[in-house]
Amino acid sequence: TPSVVILISGRGSNLNALIDHAKQTGAYQICAVISNRPNAAGLALAKTAGLDTAVLDHTEYESREAFDAALADLIDEYQPDWLVLAGFMRVLTEGFVNRYLGRLVNIHPSLLPAFPGLKTHQQALEAGVRVHGVTVHLVTPELDHGPIVDQAMLLVLPGDTPETLAARVLALEHQIYPRALSALASGQIKSVNGRLEGTLTLPLIHAI
Ligand code: GAR
């Protein structure tokens, strides 16, 4: 079974969806959950599920390089096939990203390449888009720009706020992240020379 280390920074709702899917399907095995924030709520979810957890507090490191080196050492103790970012809110150094290139996965709450970075739902409202959503992608050194594994979309409705959009996008996140990770773990989708090959089922669309 392909093994997975999951990195989190906070709430851990995507982590929870990934844990549930692993339990239900056995498509991958989560060997550890690592948080850069000691009080991340997701740590308790992981412990309840009986998973190994670790905290690596970035505020205790002098530089991004020093933090990323310590993080890589910790991850490599588990020798995971996949490294999965689930609401991990730190930018990773190029050296770190290259070490896990092709097996480092992220979920981003917009339809990339639109709205990289933070406050994606506010960005979407300000841009006036009528369609919004979420992207699962492989991580490359350029922030939020790697090959797209899967996307799910929804319609922006009159009266939507960043909060209402975030809630509907999150429901989609919980559906697509497990299935995207399963498709990667099973080899249904493969990264070949930095490009993804293979096909997924049709993209999900949120019912209004
Ligand atoms: C999710 O919406 C995820 O897409 C986003 O943070 C949230 C984490 O929620 N990630 C990013 O913005 C990455 N730059 P969660 O902790 O409940 O999974």
Side-chain angles (χ1 to χ4, degrees), residues 8-16 42 45 85-90 106-110 116-121 134-135 137 143-144 166 169-170 173-174 177:
I8 62 167
S9 298
R11 178 176 56 185
S13 71
N14 278 290
L15 166 69
N16 206 38
L45 291 172
L85 309 180
F88 184 69
M89 302 307 279
R90 295 230 8 120
N106 184 41
I107 190 160
H108 180 80
S110 76
L118 298 174
K119 300 199 171 174
T120 55
H121 310 302
V134 53
T135 303
H137 66 99
L143 186 72
D144 298 332
V169 170
L170 194 65
E173 296 188 35
H174 298 161
Y177 212 0

Side-chain angles (χ1 to χ4, degrees), residues 4 7 9 11 14 18 23 34 37 41 50 55 77 86 96 98 102-103 109 111 121 137 148 153 155 181 188:
V4 176
L7 305 186
S9 298
R11 178 176 56 185
N14 278 290
L18 292 167
K23 269 196 220 146
I34 302 172
R37 294 193 180 276
V55 172
E77 287 178 27
F96 182 96
N98 284 330
R103 54 196 182 102
L111 290 174
H121 310 302
H137 66 99
I148 291 170
M153 61 193 147
L155 303 183
L181 183 57
Q188 184 190 344

